Amino acid sequence: FSADQVNSSNSNNLHAGGRCLPVLVRPYAYKTAGTPVKMSFQPYSMKRRFDFVFDTDESIHTNESIIFLPSYQYPERSVSVEISDGRYEIDWPTQTLKYYHTNTKSQHTIQIERQILRNAEYDRIKATDNRSIEMQEREKKPEEELNVEGLNLKNS
């Protein structure tokens, strides 16, 4: 906790004062219908990309995997999900993504990214996002820069 990260605009925010939250509050698979092969998260990228790969384990008698999808990183309805097969559903109140793989593949992939929002959508999300200015500066990359004046995003 850092008191210098709390101000009048965010004092009622659950995350106010949290200095390490961008790396500590992260998505992770806490129930896997198989054997994890790879799990990675990019906390300092604008898209907050999370990748999870696992191999099917036939001794497990379910095809359901559950991923914690923190609203701190992925505000409601601002997420993009790509899966190798099967289907998924997001339960926003419990901050979970349930993935149901098919039996046609032996390896399954889930990729989650924060959608890049524009104008009013971006302002709404930014108002609830209490990361410090220095964290926002670290997130800027040449391929994904934020133009604060016009609130436009540049993707290459």
Side-chain angles (χ1 to χ4, degrees):
F1 175 80
S2 180
D4 67 332
Q5 300 293 309
V6 180
N7 59 49
S8 62
S9 69
N10 70 4
S11 62
N12 292 328
N13 186 320
L14 171 67
H15 302 113
R19 294 181 65 174
C20 299
L21 294 179
V23 284
L24 292 177
V25 181
R26 61 191 314 140
Y28 65 91
Y30 66 86
K31 179 183 175 189
T32 306
T35 305
V37 173
K38 174 189 172 188
M39 186 167 15
S40 66
F41 177 57
Q42 300 170 356
Y44 297 115
S45 72
M46 287 181 70
K47 291 187 175 186
R48 309 285 195 281
R49 183 173 167 165
F50 172 75
D51 292 298
F52 181 57
V53 179
F54 69 96
D55 290 335
T56 300
D57 181 343
E58 294 183 18
S59 68
I60 298 173
H61 301 290
T62 182
N63 68 341
E64 178 187 71
S65 296
I66 302 176
I67 296 173
F68 173 58
L69 194 66
S71 62
Y72 180 79
Q73 299 291 1
Y74 305 100
E76 191 169 339
R77 298 184 210 350
S78 67
V79 65
S80 169
V81 179
E82 289 186 31
I83 55 176
S84 58
D85 59 298
R87 65 181 179 82
Y88 72 91
E89 55 192 49
I90 297 175
D91 183 358
W92 294 108
T94 62
Q95 300 180 71
T96 56
L97 180 144
K98 293 182 180 179
Y99 168 64
Y100 304 92
H101 69 79
T102 64
N103 295 324
T104 59
K105 292 183 150 217
S106 61
Q107 191 167 80
H108 311 281
T109 304
I110 304 166
Q111 182 184 90
I112 303 168
E113 290 184 336
R114 185 177 189 171
Q115 287 181 341
I116 303 300
L117 305 175
R118 297 183 182 346
N119 301 326
E121 290 176 300
Y122 176 78
D123 290 339
R124 180 181 58 80
I125 298 301
K126 186 166 173 26
T128 62
D129 193 40
N130 133 25
R131 287 185 318 269
S132 68
I133 292 173
E134 67 185 38
M135 290 295 295
Q136 292 175 25
E137 289 298 319
R138 263 191 258 158
E139 292 173 354
K140 292 181 183 180
K141 298 197 178 263
E143 68 274 7
E144 299 174 345
E145 289 186 346
L146 174 64
N147 176 354
V148 178
E149 292 177 10
L151 293 175
N152 293 320
L153 299 172
K154 174 185 171 189
N155 295 319
S156 56

